[in-house]
Structure formats: structure tokens, C-alpha cells
Amino acid sequence: MSGPAVSEARETSGATTGLLLSYVRQHGGDDAVAEVLRRAGVPFSAAELELPSHWTSYDTRIKLFTAASKVLGDPQTMFRVGREALGLGLTPALVLLIRAMGSPRQVYRQLPRAVAKFSTTSTMRVLESGATHATLSYRLHEGYRHSRLDCEYAQGLIGMVPTVFGLPQAQLVHMECESDGHPACVYHLTWERRRRLGGRRRTDDDVPELLALREQLRILQSAAADLVASEDVETVLQRIIEKAAEAVLAPGWVLAVADPAGGPALVHGAGLPQHQVDSLAATLLAGADPGPNVVAVDVASARRVHGRLATVYRPGEGGLQHERQMLAAYAGYAAAALDLLMALESSRQEADRAGTLLTLAHELAGATDADDVCTVVVEALPRVVGCDSAAVLLWDPAEGCLRTAAHVDPVPEHQEIMYGTPLHAEDVPELVGMLTDREPRFLRPESSSPVLEKLLTALQLTDVVAVPVVAGRTFLGVATASWPAGRAPEVLAGDVLQRLHGVGDQAATALQRARLLETVRHQATHDALTGLPNRVLFLERLGEALATTPADQHVGVLFCDLDRFKAVNDSLGHAAGDELLRQVAARLRAAIRPGDLVGRLSGDEFAVLLPVLTRPEDADRVVARVLGCFDEPFRLEGTGVAVGTSVGVAVHGGGSGSADALLRASDADMYRHKHAGRDGHGAAGA
């Protein structure tokens, strides 16, 4: 088991000490940071304390809090550190997880679990919560002396939550403090339901989840390159934990993998006593259930299962929603790194080819979508395998066929043939066999099915090795290495196949990562309930439409606010309210024209973008269709419920315009109609 040079209880996450030092540096510079460390007398450097994976004791935490308050001369220092956490660099994965929860209310409900991300010495409980208010209690465990500084930091941090959703800080009332002899600190919080956008156009830098997404993408892209740069298994294992801990904060970690050399299992742990590390490692390697307070994922590639990686929380606690996906991404990188390390160990004398494999891994680390991954792979295959041409074909389960995603060939005409020839399972028995047994195929024209024979002949190929690209049990596609007559090695089933398999495994890991990143991007720009674009994406699309509209054309926006939505929530419950919103979204999608866009802005507010209008009056026809969506009652819990809508319209003529201003104009028009109780809807200019 490895750990830091100085050993002390893992009770405070580096996410907390990192935020503190970032604040001190921002307000006092590096000299102030050095003075804080000197006064606190802690045995760690600033670099160590700023690592998310570095945990310290509660005593060290309070010493740092006290020293920072004195050095900066501000008794409110710790409250400000918590309040400004988002701007100080709160861990990107936590920002994305918070956003994925959908609202401040949902976040506050999850705070008792989230506290374990920062401290193991306190327990938080939700005493009561509503749409815009919550009451929380925060209690220090027995054996620790409560510090008011810790309480003030907690107040700032929990009050910051609404800012992740673009809202003002929560208002917090704190009447009972553990430092004053109360059983626990009690916090009463209230926050706004939503905020109107200001006159300034919102930029990417104003959107917390997009900033977090950028940083998370950077960490993901650097992880694989850093892992494969390691030269021995022990270094790889240690870096796996360090890298994963940057994304998934947890007080304890265990990594257990089989020894590539055939010896005893290799085990690394952090934050746990050795006997617990050994016991949990045995459980993980046996494939058994490690318990509810452990989140475990396989360190596995398509070729082998190396072991398992686990985060460990206190009994009764566990990871937050969606963290398993992020942890699995790092475990995938770890498996790819271990695979690559084994390949390098067995082929040290082939320095040229090993260098190419490392270059491939670096390039795959920078590929963020499936097309990029496939292009990188096919460009590397001729150098890695020694083939003349190569291709990656991706499986389309909806159509039941393989389609060429990337192809390299010295004959340009062959590109058109490959991209224009989908391989349907019903026509290609070899594909059916590969889908069934996940085994490679060695193809020659004379022994292939008619469709493949025709394709290979057209491509002038006599020998093809095809390996499945598989992630777990999921068939992603096929990677091929090919040769024309007289060019293929004598033996394809040995070294050539092994190299092609290795590249295919890396491709599978990279494709998995690309899918994960696409999921993260989608979560950041779409409403989780309806799947519609959220306010951020809607404004982005509106801005693009305004920037590209010809002088003789117009852009329109409809702003829709549901009538009686609160009554549905109050009478039938929030589940019925959610179902109503989904049905409204479906009806609006069906009512708009091709090329129009529906978005959910917040709550029961929807908007429709009309990017091409010949005349302002053309918007009224779309308004009529939108209003017609609400003629029929909605079926909620078996009952027909009549719900109406108020619609505001704003139209902008050709030339530059502001997305914020146009959306506000439609909002204002909607409120005029709602308060006037009218059915007519004219087009307001903007």
C-alpha cells in the first residue's frame, strides 16, 4: 500500500484545502500562502494540499482555516471561501454532477451524501425542503472540537449551490450553532426559483457547467496520455488512483489488479487501514459485492479483465449519481494503459512499433468524438500492423449493418467504394458470425460470401484481417488490416493479429470515452426531463440564427408559459406535473415547422425559435398551431386535464441583433397577453 510521505487521518478532502489556498493566493499572493502554511505548521506543501486526491486531518483543516483568517485579516474569510467556491475552481466533476441533479432543491436533498466528498468528520441531515427553501443540520462527530470557522465555511459552501444554476446565492439564516452548545448547526436556506437574464448577451464564460465541462474534458484527455507515459506497472497503478481522484472525490480507494508477470495480485489503497485494503481487494478480485458504501468498476479492456477499482465511503454513504460513469472512464484508461504496458514489455526490441503505439495513445487522448477516434486509428494501423490499407467500420444497430467510418488506402478510388458499401448482416454471414462469437476473421475473396467477394475484388485485396471492436459485451464495430496480392505476411494469426487486437482495444476505449463525453455535453445543454434544448443551448441557437439571417428575412421567438401548471402540481403531484411537461414538449415538437426549434427555458416556460420568416406575420400561423396543441386535454393519471398557455411573440428583421433582447421581448409580450387575458397574439419587434 502506498501513500504520502507524511501520514495522518484522511478526514478533509484536498478539494477543501485547495479552495482555501486558491482564495488566499487570489487575495494575498504566493507570499500569503507561504505565511499561512508557516503559521499553521502543517507538514505539507501547497502543491500537496491543492491535490483533490490528498486528504488531511480535521486538525490540519482547522489550523489552515485559522491561519488564513489571520493572515488575510478578515474574520469572514472562511465564509467567503465557501461562497466563492465556484470561481475558485470547484472540482469540475462535482459541478457537472450538481448540474445533472437539475435544481437547487435536488442538490440540497443530496447534500448529506455530498458531504463525504469534503469531510468524514461531520454528518449533514435534511430536516425539511421545498421548491425554494430547505432546512439542514450539520453535526460534528464525537471526539472533535467544533470550530466556528468550519461552520462559516459550510454556510458559504451550501449557500453557493444555486449559483451553479445561474441563480443568486441562497439566503441563509443560522440561529443554532454547535459552537454555542447546540446539538448541531442548523441552517435555514431560501433561494430564487429562477432569474431573468440581463441585457448583456450571456457568454460561455458565464455558464458554470460549460466551464466545468471544458476542465473535465481537459482532465479526461490528459489522463490516457499520462498513464501510458508510465514505464512500470507500479507507477501506472499509483497514477490510476491519482487521476481518478481528480474526478471522483472519495475518502478511500482500493485498486486491485492481477500481476502481468503471474505473481500475487497487485494492490494499491488510500485512506483505509491495511487490513481493510487487503480484505476489500480480495472481495473485488473475487467479483463479489463489496457492499453499499463502495462504488466499484472493472479495470477491463475488450481483451482482458485486469482487476477492479473502487471508491470507499463511510457506512451508510455512497457515491453520487452518475459518478460510476466517470469512474468507469478512468478504469477504461487504466485497462488500456495496462494492456499497452504489457504489449511494450513483450516487444521491447521493436522500438519503432512501440513508439507508434505510444503516439497512437496520445492522439486518441485528444480525439473527442467517434469520427476523430476512427480517423486516428486507421491512420496508425498501417504503421502498427504493417498493412497497406485499413478501415474502421461502426455498427449501426438500428439498420443492422456496418458502415465505414474511416478508411486509408493508397488508391484514392477505393475510398468511394468503401464509404458507399454498407454491409448488412442478412447479406454477410461473416458479420453474423462475428456478432455471435466476437472472434476475428481472416478473409480472402475466393472463400468469402458473395457480397464480401465482390467488395474485396473491387478493392483489389487478397488478404484481410478483421477484428471486432468490443466494449464489454457491446459490439461497436470492426477494425480491418488489408493487403493486395503478394503483400501480406506469411502468418497473419500471430503477431499481426495481436497488434490489430491491441489497436482495436484502444479504439474501443476511446469510442467509449467519446460516447461518455457526448453524454456529458448533452447533459450540459439539454433539459433532463423533456430532452429539449435548455436555455443555454436555445440562446446559442438563437444567436446563430440572428447572425446568419439575410437582410430580407426575419427571425422569430415564441415564449410560452403554461396556465394552471401550479394547480396540476398541487392537485395531482409533481410526478403528474413532470408528465404534463413531457406531453407539452411532445405536442410542441409536432406543431412546429421543419427547421424550427423548441426549448425548455425553466419550470413551465418553453420557447420556439423560428429561424426563417419571410414576413413578421408568418409567425402568427405558428402561434395558432402552438395554441392548438392545448385544445385537447392532457391525460394525467387516467384523467383528462385541461391546460392552456399564454404565448408571446417577438420578431427581428435582418441584420445584427441580440438573442437576449429578442427572448426578453417575447417574454414581455407573453406577460401582456397573460395579464390581459386575450387570445390574439401580434408580433412584437425587437
Side-chain angles (χ1 to χ4, degrees):
M1 176 177 175
S2 61
V6 178
S7 179
E8 64 172 32
R10 287 171 61 93
E11 298 169 337
T12 297
S13 166
T16 294
T17 52
L19 290 175
L20 173 65
L21 295 188
S22 179
Y23 181 89
V24 173
R25 184 176 290 108
Q26 185 179 95
H27 292 271
D30 289 332
D31 289 342
V33 172
E35 180 62 14
V36 167
L37 298 183
R38 188 191 68 79
R39 290 198 184 197
V42 297
F44 303 107
S45 67
E48 289 175 306
L49 292 170
E50 289 175 307
L51 284 174
S53 58
H54 183 86
W55 286 63
T56 55
S57 66
Y58 181 80
D59 183 56
T60 292
R61 168 196 186 106
I62 300 305
K63 286 180 180 178
L64 289 168
F65 285 6
T66 303
S69 300
K70 291 180 179 178
V71 169
L72 296 180
D74 179 6
Q76 290 294 304
T77 291
M78 291 319 305
F79 175 78
R80 301 186 202 281
V81 171
R83 184 183 63 183
E84 297 177 23
L86 196 60
L88 294 173
L90 186 65
T91 304
L94 281 179
V95 177
L96 294 173
L97 287 170
I98 290 172
R99 283 291 305 179
M101 292 181 192
S103 69
R105 180 185 186 184
Q106 295 302 322
V107 176
Y108 285 125
R109 285 180 171 179
Q110 293 292 321
L111 270 185
R113 299 175 69 188
V115 164
K117 297 288 177 189
F118 300 93
S119 172
T120 63
T121 59
S122 302
T123 297
M124 181 168 283
R125 295 175 55 214
V126 180
L127 302 182
E128 64 92 29
S129 68
T132 57
H133 68 276
T135 301
L136 311 173
S137 73
Y138 187 60
R139 182 181 62 82
L140 189 65
H141 296 166
E142 294 293 331
Y144 298 91
R145 183 177 179 181
H146 188 268
S147 167
R148 196 177 297 274
L149 294 177
D150 194 34
C151 175
E152 290 169 356
Y153 170 68
Q155 291 178 51
L157 193 61
I158 62 179
M160 172 274 300
V161 167
T163 65
V164 179
F165 298 88
L167 300 171
Q169 295 269 341
Q171 296 297 313
L172 186 148
V173 177
H174 176 47
M175 301 296 293
E176 299 177 38
C177 185
E178 200 170 350
S179 292
D180 296 332
H182 291 278
C185 292
V186 178
Y187 310 121
H188 303 278
L189 298 112
T190 57
W191 60 90
E192 294 184 13
R193 184 180 298 274
R194 71 178 184 89
R195 177 178 71 177
R196 293 176 184 267
L197 293 175
R200 178 175 62 86
R201 180 175 179 178
R202 205 173 187 188
T203 67
D204 285 357
D205 290 340
D206 295 322
V207 187
E209 68 270 26
L210 292 183
L211 293 173
L213 175 58
R214 287 179 184 153
E215 181 61 12
Q216 190 63 58
L217 291 177
R218 184 196 65 78
I219 295 172
L220 279 167
Q221 290 168 2
S222 68
D226 188 52
L227 285 174
V228 300
S230 306
E231 295 183 357
D232 61 85
V233 173
E234 287 295 326
T235 301
V236 167
L237 299 183
Q238 184 59 37
R239 287 188 177 179
I240 289 170
I241 288 183
E242 293 171 356
K243 283 294 180 182
E246 288 186 38
V248 183
L249 301 177
W253 290 81
V254 171
L255 172 63
V257 301
D259 182 8
L266 302 176
V267 177
H268 277 237
L272 301 170
Q274 188 62 47
H275 72 276
Q276 189 175 348
V277 171
D278 294 339
S279 174
L280 182 54
T283 301
L284 293 172
L285 290 171
D289 182 5
N293 65 314
V294 177
V295 178
V297 295
D298 288 340
V299 179
S301 67
R303 297 184 63 189
R304 60 175 62 86
V305 176
H306 294 279
R308 300 179 83 188
L309 173 65
T311 58
V312 186
Y313 300 86
R314 293 182 303 179
E317 298 175 346
L320 294 173
Q321 189 179 11
H322 306 309
E323 283 191 332
R324 183 180 294 274
Q325 288 178 299
M326 197 60 66
L327 190 62
Y330 284 88
Y333 283 140
L338 290 170
D339 277 351
L340 182 57
L341 192 61
M342 294 176 188
L344 291 174
E345 288 294 336
S346 66
S347 58
R348 285 290 184 185
Q349 296 179 353
E350 299 183 57
D352 232 13
R353 194 160 273 130
T356 302
L357 289 173
L358 285 173
T359 300
L360 171 63
H362 282 280
E363 292 177 349
L364 284 177
T368 58
D369 60 50
D371 289 339
D372 289 343
V373 169
C374 295
T375 299
V376 168
V377 169
V378 297
E379 290 178 351
L381 275 174
R383 291 173 289 155
V384 175
V385 178
C387 58
D388 287 63
S389 59
V392 174
L393 300 91
L394 296 182
W395 175 244
D396 182 345
E399 297 292 332
C401 72
L402 286 173
R403 299 184 186 277
T404 301
H407 179 235
V408 292
D409 193 293
V411 181
E413 292 78 9
H414 293 172
Q415 298 278 340
E416 184 177 350
I417 297 173
M418 278 295 294
Y419 285 109
T421 310
L423 300 177
H424 293 271
E426 63 265 26
D427 300 327
V428 184
E430 294 89 344
L431 174 55
V432 175
M434 194 175 290
L435 284 166
T436 303
D437 59 26
R438 305 293 203 265
E439 293 295 327
R441 294 294 188 272
F442 300 92
L443 306 174
R444 296 179 65 86
E446 63 271 17
S447 57
S448 298
S449 59
V451 169
L452 276 185
E453 179 185 7
K454 181 180 179 181
L455 177 61
L456 298 182
T457 300
L459 296 173
Q460 300 176 325
L461 298 175
T462 59
D463 294 273
V464 177
V465 181
V467 300
V469 178
V470 179
R473 297 182 178 180
T474 304
F475 181 81
L476 302 178
V478 173
T480 67
S482 311
W483 296 263
R487 296 278 298 169
E490 290 187 8
V491 179
L492 296 177
D495 201 26
V496 169
L497 180 60
Q498 183 180 2
R499 293 170 192 160
L500 185 56
H501 257 309
V503 175
D505 291 348
Q506 291 188 63
T509 300
L511 287 169
Q512 275 187 302
R513 175 174 58 85
R515 290 183 174 185
L516 173 64
L517 296 183
E518 182 58 33
T519 298
V520 174
R521 292 190 193 101
H522 189 274
Q523 289 173 346
T525 56
H526 288 76
D527 172 47
L529 179 65
T530 63
L532 296 176
N534 61 15
R535 180 182 290 270
V536 172
L537 183 56
F538 186 86
L539 281 171
E540 179 182 321
R541 294 287 188 266
L542 177 54
E544 293 170 356
L546 289 170
T548 57
T549 302
D552 60 345
Q553 297 288 321
H554 300 78
V555 174
V557 173
L558 311 185
F559 196 106
C560 309
D561 183 83
L562 303 188
D563 301 330
R564 299 190 64 249
F565 178 69
K566 184 177 184 302
V568 171
N569 268 341
D570 292 343
S571 61
L572 299 178
H574 289 285
D578 288 348
E579 175 59 23
L580 173 61
L581 293 174
R582 283 191 286 266
Q583 291 187 30
V584 168
R587 291 192 186 184
L588 289 176
R589 279 197 189 102
I592 62 174
R593 309 169 305 169
D596 294 345
L597 178 73
V598 179
R600 183 187 176 200
L601 304 183
S602 65
D604 61 344
E605 294 178 343
F606 295 82
V608 180
L609 168 60
L610 311 176
V612 180
L613 292 173
T614 304
R615 300 173 306 159
E617 296 80 12
D618 292 343
D620 292 335
R621 289 195 290 271
V622 183
V623 171
R625 288 201 294 271
V626 168
L627 292 173
C629 292
F630 296 84
D631 290 344
E632 293 294 325
F634 293 85
R635 297 294 296 178
L636 302 175
E637 298 184 354
T639 302
V641 178
V643 174
T645 185
S646 299
V647 181
V649 187
V651 177
H652 178 82
S656 61
S658 166
D660 287 333
L662 191 60
L663 185 62
R664 286 199 311 275
S666 64
D667 188 4
D669 189 52
M670 180 276 295
Y671 272 104
R672 284 194 294 271
H673 292 304
K674 180 179 284 287
H675 294 314
R678 298 189 276 116
D679 290 329
H681 297 268

